[in-house]
Amino acid sequence: MPLTRAARFLVAAALAAGSGCAEDPNVPPAGVPGTYDATTFTLASGGPAVNLLASGASLVMTLGADHRTTGALFIPSSVTGGEAIAESLAGTWRQGNDTVYFDQPADTFVRDVPFVVRGASLVGSYATPGGLLSVTLTKHGRY
């Protein structure tokens, strides 16, 4: 029995998905490259979570199809209790299955957090001495 057009499309898509490894830097992962902004950025330490975005913090990052990153992390002194944190997020990224990992020279939580792909967002959390840091990065534009 001949395959319908839809069935041929599904078979072709399945074969294409199996032909490239998500960890292969020469195979750009579909859907992940783009520019992301933190849409949630909270710190919970025994009480209600503190909304770091409302306190002036920001995190923006662009993930290139070439596996390079650009962007910036800013956390104001009102949050840190000392000096403000302003770090470049230039570096690289890789994807393993539904998780994105970052490698950057700046020593920030970003390079320590595995971010899980959830639709047009990357979601991660990190246990710090000050509490649980949770971040959702949401992609700009079409996805």
Side-chain angles (χ1 to χ4, degrees), residues 14-82:
L15 290 173
S19 66
C21 174
E23 298 262 1
D24 184 345
N26 299 312
V27 178
V32 173
T35 300
Y36 295 79
D37 274 318
T39 51
T40 62
F41 193 2
T42 61
L43 178 63
S45 59
V50 175
N51 180 343
L52 300 178
L53 295 174
S55 299
S58 63
L59 193 165
V60 63
M61 190 165 21
T62 299
L63 283 63
D66 62 356
H67 291 267
R68 293 183 184 175
T69 61
T70 59
L73 168 68
F74 177 75
I75 303 175
S77 60
S78 61
V79 172
T80 66

Side-chain angles (χ1 to χ4, degrees), residues 4-141:
T4 66
R5 182 175 180 192
R8 285 193 307 272
F9 174 77
L10 291 173
V11 169
L15 290 173
S19 66
C21 174
E23 298 262 1
D24 184 345
N26 299 312
V27 178
V32 173
T35 300
Y36 295 79
D37 274 318
T39 51
T40 62
F41 193 2
T42 61
L43 178 63
S45 59
V50 175
N51 180 343
L52 300 178
L53 295 174
S55 299
S58 63
L59 193 165
V60 63
M61 190 165 21
T62 299
L63 283 63
D66 62 356
H67 291 267
R68 293 183 184 175
T69 61
T70 59
L73 168 68
F74 177 75
I75 303 175
S77 60
S78 61
V79 172
T80 66
E83 290 193 34
I85 297 170
E87 294 287 350
S88 168
L89 297 177
T92 60
W93 68 277
R94 66 183 172 83
Q95 181 180 3
N97 297 319
D98 68 345
T99 306
V100 174
Y101 305 90
F102 298 101
D103 185 22
Q104 299 151 334
D107 186 12
T108 71
F109 71 91
V110 175
R111 70 181 191 182
D112 298 324
V113 174
F115 285 86
V116 178
V117 178
R118 294 285 181 253
S121 297
L122 304 175
V123 179
S125 61
Y126 182 67
T128 72
L132 182 65
L133 188 63
S134 297
V135 180
T136 299
L137 301 174
T138 303
K139 192 174 185 179
H140 290 211

